[in-house]
């Protein structure tokens, strides 16, 4: 019998940072007036309850992989890295057309990446924050040098378009980030958890089912449970709320977003309200919103931003990052 084996482990690095973001939205715009022709609703009713004015819906032939490639390619081009530099791809999605193959491997191939590790992650609306934390861990432990993290969703294919409680909310799109090693950490510690006793509040029961949501229960949970998680993420990162340049919550409902922002009490932070024109894109909403804020020049490079994901599971995650 041999004795204990000592394993060689890769060297660790102090931390990781986000080099760039990218986003993609389908071309088709669906307004509240358009929905009013399909179900018993109107623009005032929708805007007063969820804050959405319009949303983007993918074409029937447009896939999650198609959208992820667009957002991922944009983030990669902005990052200054080449396809050969990426050695891990993570796609956060909860709206997969099929369970296999995974989306990440297909995205990597379409982007011309050189045989990277590739996997999908499903934590629904908190998926991007979970994937970003996984990327940060992979970089810090030496398992990867540079990671492409994508949130991509085609929620429209899981909607009952005669159900006004859900069809007015969800939409399609993708957002991406490139994460790389850094001597100065630019991704703070994640704070995450779940309330599995309420996992039936947002669900898809089976292959022939649609999204079901207990909107009132989710609203109560999100407006009471999520702000303390966000504040803990700030504390763990060593960033006071007053120093935040941006708060980027999952774009679930404008009233939820505003309630969380009020409790965080960050007077100088720009609060993402992308939901007004993008709808709820689940795991894609946070990177999409921040990419668009950066593109519009609303947030300064190098400043701290708080990301807060929450939704089906009921799972949640938050971390502070340095804006690229």
């Amino acid at each position: 019998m041999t004795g204990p084996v000592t394993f060689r482990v890769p060297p660790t690095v102090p931390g990781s940072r986000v080099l760039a973001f990218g986003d993609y939205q389908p071309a088709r715009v669906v307004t509240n007036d358009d929905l009013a022709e399909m179900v018993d609703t109107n623009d005032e009713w929708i805007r007063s309850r969820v804050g959405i004015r319009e949303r983007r819906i993918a074409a029937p032939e447009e896939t999650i992989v198609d959208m992820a490639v667009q957002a991922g390619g944009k983030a990669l081009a902005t990052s200054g890295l080449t396809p050969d530099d990426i050695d891990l791809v993570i796609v956060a999605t909860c709206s997969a057309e099929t369970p296999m193959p995974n989306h990440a491997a297909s995205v990597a191939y379409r982007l011309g990446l050189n045989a990277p590790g590739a996997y999908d992650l499903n934590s629904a609306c908190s998926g991007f924050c979970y994937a970003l934390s996984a990327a940060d861990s992979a970089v810090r432990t030496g398992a990867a040098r540079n990671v492409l993290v994508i949130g991509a969703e085609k929620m429209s294919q899981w909607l009952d378009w005669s159900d006004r409680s859900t069809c007015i909310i969800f939409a399609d799109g993708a957002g991406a980030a490139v994460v790389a090693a850094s001597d100065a950490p630019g991704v703070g510690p994640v704070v995450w958890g779940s309330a599995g006793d309420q996992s039936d509040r947002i669900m898809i029961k089976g292959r022939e089912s649609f999204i079901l949501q207990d909107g009132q229960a989710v609203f109560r949970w999100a407006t009471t449970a999520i702000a303390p998680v966000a504040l803990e993420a700030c504390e763990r990162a060593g960033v006071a709320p007053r120093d935040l340049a941006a708060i980027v919550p999952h774009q679930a409902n404008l009233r939820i977003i505003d309630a969380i922002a009020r409790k965080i009490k960050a007077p100088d932070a720009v609060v993402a309200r992308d939901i007004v024109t993008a709808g709820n894109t689940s795991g894609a909403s946070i990177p999409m919103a921040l990419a668009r804020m950066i593109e519009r020049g609303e947030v300064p490079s190098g400043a701290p931003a708080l990301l807060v994901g929450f939704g089906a599971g009921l799972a949640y995650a938050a971390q502070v990052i340095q804006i690229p």
Side-chain angles (χ1 to χ4, degrees), residues 64 67 92-96 124-125 151-155 171-174 281-284:
I64 291 171
M67 293 186 285
T93 187
C94 66
S95 55
C125 304
E153 304 282 11
K154 190 175 180 180
M155 304 302 289
D172 305 330
T281 55
S282 190

Side-chain angles (χ1 to χ4, degrees), residues 83-84 86-89 105 108-109 112-118:
D84 286 343
I86 303 296
D87 46 20
L88 177 62
V89 179
Y109 174 74
L113 308 187
N114 185 20

Side-chain angles (χ1 to χ4, degrees), residues 5-55:
V5 175
T6 300
F7 289 95
R8 294 178 181 175
V9 296
T12 60
V13 298
S16 74
R17 64 188 177 101
V18 179
L19 299 182
F21 280 91
D23 70 298
Y24 172 77
Q25 286 186 290
R28 182 188 173 198
V29 177
V30 177
T31 67
N32 292 344
D33 290 337
D34 293 331
L35 290 176
E37 297 179 2
M38 302 165 58
V39 292
D40 181 17
T41 190
N42 58 64
D43 177 68
E44 190 280 329
W45 191 89
I46 295 172
R47 294 177 71 167
S48 65
R49 283 159 178 79
V50 294
I52 300 172
R53 187 173 70 233
E54 61 185 39
R55 71 286 292 144

